[in-house]
Amino acid sequence: MSAGSSSATALDGARLDLALALHEQMVRIRRFEERVAELFAAGELPGFVHLSIGQESVAVGVIDLLRESDYITATHRGHGHIIAKGARFHPMIAELMGRATGYCRGKGGSMHIFDVGLGVLGANGILGAGQPIAVGAAFSARLQGRDDVAVTFFGEGASAQGAVHEAMNLAAVWRAPVVFVAEVNGFAELTPYDVHVPIPSLAARGAAYGIPATVVDGLDVLAVRDAAEGCIARAREGGGPSLLEVRTLRWHGHYEGDPQRYRDPAELARRADVDPIAHLVLALREAGVPDDRIASAAERADADLDVAVATARADPLPAPEDALDHVYATPIEPRR
C-alpha cells in the first residue's frame, strides 16, 4: 500500500473524529523526534538516541485504546510509545538533556524513561527485557481483581531472545491479560529481517504457545487500531494473551549518526511511500478536512516543543550528592 492510496474505511462522523485525534498524536510524536534529532546533532543530548520516525502508527494505533491504569513496556526506540501513553514534552526533553526535572531525574536518558503513574513501566535498553515485566504487571492486575491490561512492544531482534519466549509461554499458561506487539521494522540493529529470522512472519511464534496472532500493515493507523482493539478486548475480558505483528519501516538508522551503509539506497528513497502520517492525511483530505486544520497539529506540537526545550535548557543538572538516590527500588503503594 502506498501513501497515494486512500483509507479502506470511509471517514465520517465518529470515525473522522477518531482519525483526527490519531493524526494529532502521530504528528506530536513525529515532531518530537525530529526535534530530538536536531538537538542530538547539535550536541545537546548525551548518550545514544534511537528514533521511531515512520513507525508512529504502531504506538498511536495500539495505545489509543488503553486507559491510564493500563501498563506498557517500551523498547530502546520508545519515545513514541511513552508520548502516546500520556507523557509530556518537557520532562521528556529534560530527561534526554540529563536534567533533574526529567522523568528519571536526568539519570535514565532516552532508553530508560518510565513513569509508573502513567502505567509506563519503562523503555529498556536490553532487548527482550520488557516482556517478562509486562506479563508480571498484567498478572498482578488480575490478582488484584482489576481488568487492566499490559501491552509490551518489541522488535524482530528481541523476538529471538529467550526472555520473550519465556514471557509468551508464561502468559499463555497464566492466561495473563497481556498483548505482545511486534514492531517489524526491517532490521535488528544492522541486520535485515531475513538474515536472522527463519520464518516469514513472527505471528507463527504465537501459535507455538497457543496465542492467537494477527498481522497488520503499519501504514494505516486505523487498521492498526482496529486490529489492536480485538487483542486488548480479549485481554480485558479474561481471554488471555495475544500477539499483534505490525509491519512497518524504520526510517532512520539504528541510532542517530548511524551511516546505514548496510541499507539499500532504494529502500531509503521509498520512505515517503510508506509514511503512515501522509497516508492518513490523504484520507482526511478526501473526507473534506481543510489543509489548515491538518497543518495546525504540527503547529501546536512545535509550539509545545519550543517551550519544552527552552525550559529544559534552563533546568538544573542532577546534584552530585543525589547520585545514589533512586538507585535501589522502594516499595510502591498498590493501586486501589
Side-chain angles (χ1 to χ4, degrees):
M1 190 183 293
S2 70
S5 61
S6 61
S7 177
T9 305
L11 297 183
D12 53 25
R15 191 74 169 176
L16 178 57
D17 292 340
L18 172 62
L20 286 165
L22 298 179
H23 172 260
E24 179 97 17
Q25 276 287 71
M26 285 201 295
V27 168
R28 286 183 68 81
I29 293 169
R30 174 74 59 88
R31 297 303 292 156
F32 176 88
E33 293 213 298
E34 289 174 342
R35 186 71 64 94
V36 166
E38 294 171 3
L39 293 169
F40 185 83
E44 292 195 57
L45 307 182
F48 280 99
V49 170
H50 308 78
L51 302 183
S52 64
I53 292 175
Q55 301 175 207
E56 296 87 356
S57 64
V58 187
V60 172
V62 175
I63 295 174
D64 181 68
L65 294 154
L66 298 183
R67 308 166 179 164
E68 186 174 283
S69 58
D70 291 326
Y71 301 108
I72 68 165
T73 63
T75 69
H76 59 286
R77 203 177 305 282
H79 302 148
H81 308 127
I82 297 165
I83 292 171
K85 194 61 170 69
R88 294 174 292 115
F89 281 168
H90 169 243
M92 287 282 289
I93 292 289
E95 186 60 38
L96 268 63
M97 287 185 170
R99 307 296 178 173
T101 51
Y103 273 113
C104 299
R105 298 169 178 82
K107 300 176 183 178
S110 172
M111 289 189 281
H112 301 102
I113 296 175
F114 76 93
D115 186 328
V116 175
L118 289 175
V120 176
L121 303 185
N124 209 307
I126 305 299
L127 295 187
Q131 286 64 63
I133 295 170
V135 172
F139 191 59
S140 75
R142 198 177 79 182
L143 287 177
Q144 295 174 53
R146 298 185 284 113
D147 65 349
D148 294 327
V149 305
V151 173
T152 180
F153 296 88
F154 64 101
E156 55 261 53
S159 71
Q161 289 283 356
V164 175
H165 291 270
E166 292 175 15
M168 286 186 176
N169 183 71
L170 197 57
V173 170
W174 284 349
R175 296 182 65 81
V178 60
V179 180
F180 295 88
V181 180
E183 295 184 271
V184 178
N185 64 18
F187 292 90
E189 294 189 346
L190 320 183
T191 307
Y193 178 97
D194 58 5
V195 172
H196 69 103
V197 180
I199 51 177
S201 171
L202 295 181
R205 300 272 170 85
Y209 300 110
I211 297 176
T214 303
V215 182
V216 65
D217 185 353
L219 179 61
D220 187 342
V221 66
L222 288 164
V224 174
R225 190 183 186 278
D226 289 343
E229 189 169 20
C231 297
I232 292 169
R234 169 186 166 87
R236 207 177 296 285
E237 294 164 6
S242 55
L243 170 62
L244 177 63
E245 176 182 338
V246 187
R247 290 276 171 163
T248 183
L249 180 69
R250 193 183 80 196
W251 284 29
H252 283 219
H254 171 54
Y255 57 90
E256 284 306 281
D258 178 2
Q260 302 193 76
R261 297 189 183 95
Y262 52 89
R263 297 186 77 167
D264 184 347
E267 178 192 51
L268 294 173
R270 74 181 184 92
R271 290 181 295 186
D273 294 329
V274 287
D275 182 350
I277 295 178
H279 178 75
L280 185 57
V281 164
L282 179 64
L284 291 172
R285 285 173 174 157
E286 289 178 348
V289 179
D291 282 349
D292 58 348
R293 183 174 180 184
I294 294 171
S296 67
E299 294 167 1
R300 285 189 292 273
D302 287 340
D304 290 347
L305 280 165
D306 288 343
V307 174
V309 171
T311 305
R313 281 173 173 154
D315 288 340
L317 294 169
E321 59 269 24
D322 296 337
L324 297 182
D325 288 353
H326 312 108
V327 173
Y328 300 99
T330 56
I332 297 174
E333 286 296 318
R335 290 176 176 161
R336 302 300 180 187

